[in-house]
Each structure stands twice: as structure tokens, then as C-alpha cells.
């Protein structure tokens, strides 16, 4: 065992911070406590080195506060700069040891935690012979490379499972649009289109009320893409009447009509009579015009952002939504499509749960 300061040269005196406004863009990486912050026109170091966060980092096991840099780089004063004595310690051995150790006992400062140079220098480093360091590093490199490949493969499978459902919706909708008896029409013909109403906070209850009240943020939660099953707020019938707010019946589909949330392309199906805020638009199927669940699934394959004004603050108007084209097959075919999509939804959700569990295992 040796102290870190005994097996590394500390080059902190050569560091130099540059404020963001004073940085001149260039080809050289500019490093801080956790990695590259940008690129600048000059460099301070030009050799293989090890950096470890001085402040603005985390130092628990697995937090990866230490990392290697190679070539021409600039380092600010938030990362310590180490040149290992490579006749005694390998760079990657040092990095692995620091990153998977709990360095909490060496950290000072409550408001701004910091690994100061004095404390860093007394961290004890185990030093087996170099050949043994190389052997262990090779084992760890292979293990982490395998984990990285497995994670990438699993993430691809997860994305494929999501896309499988979306692509199937699109394919079914296209195929049914040519079915015998199909009607080519617009959403304004088959739906009532209404925006929600703004309820002041004082009129919203957290646990009771006559109607669940949904905001744009409720569009983005994880879970079933077609249902709003829970609400964080409720409103009373008296307040609803006072404000003239619409009650959206079960089967209505709601989505954001203004702001960045439009780009998430999230739509939710109302399952109990509900109110929504004035940044949300709702479609309520007209009786005899379209099956509610068919409308809900059809909208899942429809990119609402493409029909927004795509401004800095995107928005969608009722007039635009009214003109959205839709092909409505006969009711019997709509119900068959819904049945097929429900089955596929359950299967793809099972697949996604499996892949998410695998990612958690890899972590």
C-alpha cells in the first residue's frame, strides 16, 4: 500500500480556468470535474494523464470521478491532474481503484463538497506488481466492454419493441384505409374538439373532488400510452360550473396544444369523466361516427407535432385539428383493429418490461 501522492506527480499548479465568456472556440478539449465542458483554442497539457474531480463531482463507489485524458487538453481548477509513476502504477489501475472506492472519508466541506489536494495525496493505493495490475485491468476491461455491448444491444431491443407497436398501428391504419366502406373524412367531422379550462390553484384539491383535473405534465408520465388512470388534482362541480369548464367523458382523447410538450407526441385517453387545463385539447368521439377506442389507437400513430406551427413555442389550433384527415372503416372493422392492437400492446409491454429489467440487472 502506498499513498497516492507517493506514486503520482500532481500537476495542479499548471491548471488554469477560463470563464465561459472568455473561452475561444478551438479544437482542444476543455476539462472540468466530470469531463469535457467544451473546446478551446489552446492547451495546457500534452501527455497521458489521470484526472479526478476536486469539487463538483461525486466520489462514491461507481461514481467514476477519475478518468483518463490523452493528447492536447486544457484542464480547469475543478479537477486534479495526476501523472502516475508508470514504473509503479498503471493509469487504468489507478482509475479503476479510485472509481470503485468510497472516498467519502477524504471529502471536506458541507455546502460545497471537495476533495482537496492534501486529502487526495493520502489516499492509500494497493500496488501489486505491474504484471498483476495488467492482468486485473485486462479482466475488468473485458467485463465492462461486455456490459457496454450488452447494454447497447438491450437498449436497441427496447427501442425496437416500442417501434414495433408504433409501426403496426401505422400499417393497420394504412391497410384499413383502403377497406371496403371506408370513409375519408376529418377529425372535425367525427369528433367534438374542445380545449380545457384554467383552474386557479385555490380551486384544486389534492385528494378529493368531483372530477380529476389533468395538466400538460400528466401527459408525460410513463405507463399505458392510452389511459389517464390517476390524477394529482381534483376540482368540484360547483367550481367547474362557475368557470364554465367542459367535462370530458370517457373515451375522449387529450393531448398538449401548446409548448414543448407537443414534441413528446403524447396522447391520453380519458377513462372517467374529467377536466383538463387550458393548455390541453380534447377530442370526444361523436356517437355513431367513430368507435372511441379506434380513435384512441389511431391517434397513437399520429404525430401531432407535424401539424403544429413549429415555432419557438409550438402550438396547435382547433381549426387545424378539425382539418386533420382520418379514414374511418366500418364499425366492425374498427373493433377488429382495436382487438388486434390490444393484444399487440400487451405483448410489446411484456417485451419492454423484460428489457427494462435486463438493463437494471446490467446496472
Amino acid at each position: 500500500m502506498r499513498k497516492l501522492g507517493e506514486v503520482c506527480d500532481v500537476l495542479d499548479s499548471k491548471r488554469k480556468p477560463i470563464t465561459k465568456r472568455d473561452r475561444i472556440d478551438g479544437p482542444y478539449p476543455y476539462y472540468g470535474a466530470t469531463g469535457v465542458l467544451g473546446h478551446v483554442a489552446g492547451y495546457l497539457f500534452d501527455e497521458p494523464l489521470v484526472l479526478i474531480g476536486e469539487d463538483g463531482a461525486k466520489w462514491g463507489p461507481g461514481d467514476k470521478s477519475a478518468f483518463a485524458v490523452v493528447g492536447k487538453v486544457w484542464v480547469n481548477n475543478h479537477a486534479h491532474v495526476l501523472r502516475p509513476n508508470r514504473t509503479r502504477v498503471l493509469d487504468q489501475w489507478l482509475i479503476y481503484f479510485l472509481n470503485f472506492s468510497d472516498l467519502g472519508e477524504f471529502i471536506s466541506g458541507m455546502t460545497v463538497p471537495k476533495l482537496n489536494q492534501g486529502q487526495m495525496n493520502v489516499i492509500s493505493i494497493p500496488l501489486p506488481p505491474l504484471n498483476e495490475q495488467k492482468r486485473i485491468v485486462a479482466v475488468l476491461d473485458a467485463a465492462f466492454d461486455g456490459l457496454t455491448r450488452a447494454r447497447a444491444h438491450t437498449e436497441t431491443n427496447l427501442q425496437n419493441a416500442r417501434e414495433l407497436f408504433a409501426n403496426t398501428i401505422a400499417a393497420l391504419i394504412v391497410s384499413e384505409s383502403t377497406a371496403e366502406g371506408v370513409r375519408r373524412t376529418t377529425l372535425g367531422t367525427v369528433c367534438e374538439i374542445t380545449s380545457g379550462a384554467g383552474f386557479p390553484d385555490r380551486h384544486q384539491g389534492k385528494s378529493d373532488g368531483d372530477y380529476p383535473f389533468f395538466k400538460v405534465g400528466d401527459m408525460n408520465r410513463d405507463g399505458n400510452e392510452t389511459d389517464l388512470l390517476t390524477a394529482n388534482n381534483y376540482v368540484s362541480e360547483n367550481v367547474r360550473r362557475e368557470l364554465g369548464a367542459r367535462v370530458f367523458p370517457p373515451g375522449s382523447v387529450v393531448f398538449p396544444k401548446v409548448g414543448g410538450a407537443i414534441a413528446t407526441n403524447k396522447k391520453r385517453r380519458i377513462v372517467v369523466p374529467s377536466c383538463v387545463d387550458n393548455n390541453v385539447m380534447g377530442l370526444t368521439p361523436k356517437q355513431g361516427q367513430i368507435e372511441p377506442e379506434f380513435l384512441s389507437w389511431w391517434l397513437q400513430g399520429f404525430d401531432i407535432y407535424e401539424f403544429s406551427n413549429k415555432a419557438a413555442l409550438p402550438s396547435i389550433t382547433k381549426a387545424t385539428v378539425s382539418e386533420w384527415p382520418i379514414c374511418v372503416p366500418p364499425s366492425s372493422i374498427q373493433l377488429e383493429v382495436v382487438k388486434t392492437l390490444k393484444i399487440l400492446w400487451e405483448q410489446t409491454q411484456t417485451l419492454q418490461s423484460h428489457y427494462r429489467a435486463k438493463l437494471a440487472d446490467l446496472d
Side-chain angles (χ1 to χ4, degrees):
M1 303 294 296
R2 289 291 182 269
K3 304 299 183 186
L4 185 144
E6 297 173 5
V7 295
C8 293
D9 295 327
V10 180
L11 308 181
D12 287 1
S13 62
K14 297 183 178 182
R15 303 176 302 179
K16 185 178 179 181
I18 316 175
T19 61
K20 195 168 186 178
R21 67 181 180 183
D22 292 332
R23 292 177 205 166
I24 301 173
D25 288 341
Y28 307 113
Y30 178 78
Y31 281 91
T34 57
V36 176
L37 302 177
H39 289 77
V40 294
Y43 61 91
L44 301 175
F45 304 95
D46 185 13
E47 60 178 302
L49 297 166
V50 173
L51 306 187
I52 180 170
E54 178 175 354
D55 55 71
K58 297 180 179 178
W59 300 272
D63 281 331
K64 299 183 179 179
S65 56
F67 51 94
V69 297
V70 180
K72 296 178 173 66
V73 300
W74 193 298
V75 183
N76 70 17
N77 58 348
H78 297 291
H80 295 295
V81 183
L82 308 177
R83 179 195 290 139
N85 179 342
R86 296 179 179 95
T87 64
R88 306 180 71 184
V89 61
L90 299 178
D91 295 34
Q92 195 58 36
W93 171 268
L94 180 63
I95 291 170
Y96 273 131
F97 178 78
L98 292 173
N99 280 342
F100 292 94
S101 298
D102 185 354
L103 303 179
E105 65 181 288
F106 302 99
I107 306 304
S108 59
M110 296 294 291
T111 305
V112 182
K114 183 174 184 176
L115 174 63
N116 64 47
Q117 187 181 128
Q119 288 292 89
M120 177 189 69
N121 282 336
V122 300
I123 296 172
S124 292
I125 308 294
L127 290 183
L130 285 178
N131 284 341
E132 183 66 1
Q133 291 182 41
K134 290 178 183 178
R135 186 189 69 81
I136 295 173
V137 164
V139 171
L140 293 175
D141 282 347
F144 282 105
D145 285 347
L147 288 169
T148 299
R149 289 194 302 273
R151 166 170 275 282
H153 182 68
T154 304
E155 287 175 339
T156 298
N157 286 340
L158 177 59
Q159 183 60 32
N160 287 344
R162 292 175 179 144
E163 291 176 356
L164 169 64
F165 186 73
N167 292 340
T168 301
I169 289 179
L172 270 173
I173 298 304
V174 168
S175 66
E176 298 306 337
S177 69
T178 59
E180 185 177 350
V182 70
R183 286 186 297 133
R184 290 170 176 79
T185 184
T186 62
L187 283 181
T189 302
V190 299
C191 299
E192 293 181 24
I193 304 169
T194 317
S195 296
F199 286 81
D201 288 344
R202 67 180 183 277
H203 291 318
Q204 299 175 32
K206 294 297 181 184
S207 59
D208 56 14
D210 298 300
Y211 303 105
F213 177 59
F214 296 107
K215 302 179 182 180
V216 170
D218 297 310
M219 307 290 117
N220 294 325
R221 67 172 179 80
D222 292 332
N224 191 316
E225 293 293 332
T226 60
D227 291 342
L228 279 167
L229 300 178
T230 59
N232 294 322
N233 298 281
Y234 294 81
V235 295
S236 69
E237 171 64 9
N238 289 339
V239 170
R240 183 199 71 78
R241 285 179 178 273
E242 178 185 336
L243 297 177
R246 173 173 168 75
V247 175
F248 288 86
S252 301
V253 178
V254 295
F255 51 86
K257 72 171 190 177
V258 65
I262 290 177
T264 67
N265 199 32
K266 292 291 181 70
K267 309 99 179 175
R268 301 296 188 187
R269 182 164 61 94
I270 297 291
V271 294
V272 296
S274 305
C275 294
V276 299
D277 80 5
N278 52 0
N279 291 320
V280 176
M281 186 174 289
L283 304 179
T284 302
K286 294 178 181 178
Q287 189 171 7
Q289 291 286 337
I290 190 170
E291 296 294 334
E293 285 190 279
F294 179 83
L295 172 68
S296 177
W297 289 115
W298 181 86
L299 282 168
Q300 298 311 312
F302 192 86
D303 187 356
I304 61 176
Y305 180 73
E306 286 302 310
F307 288 84
S308 73
N309 61 4
K310 298 185 179 67
L313 187 69
S315 62
I316 297 174
T317 65
K318 178 179 177 179
T320 301
V321 174
S322 295
E323 295 302 316
W324 286 353
I326 182 172
C327 292
V328 183
S331 180
S332 59
I333 295 179
Q334 293 181 50
L335 295 175
E336 283 298 317
V337 170
V338 168
K339 182 179 178 181
T340 299
L341 291 174
K342 279 184 173 179
I343 294 171
L344 181 63
W345 170 262
E346 292 173 358
Q347 292 173 339
T348 55
Q349 288 301 293
T350 299
L351 272 176
Q352 290 181 52
S353 295
H354 168 74
Y355 292 131
R356 281 192 288 265
K358 187 170 182 180
L359 288 174
D361 289 343
L362 289 167
D363 286 340

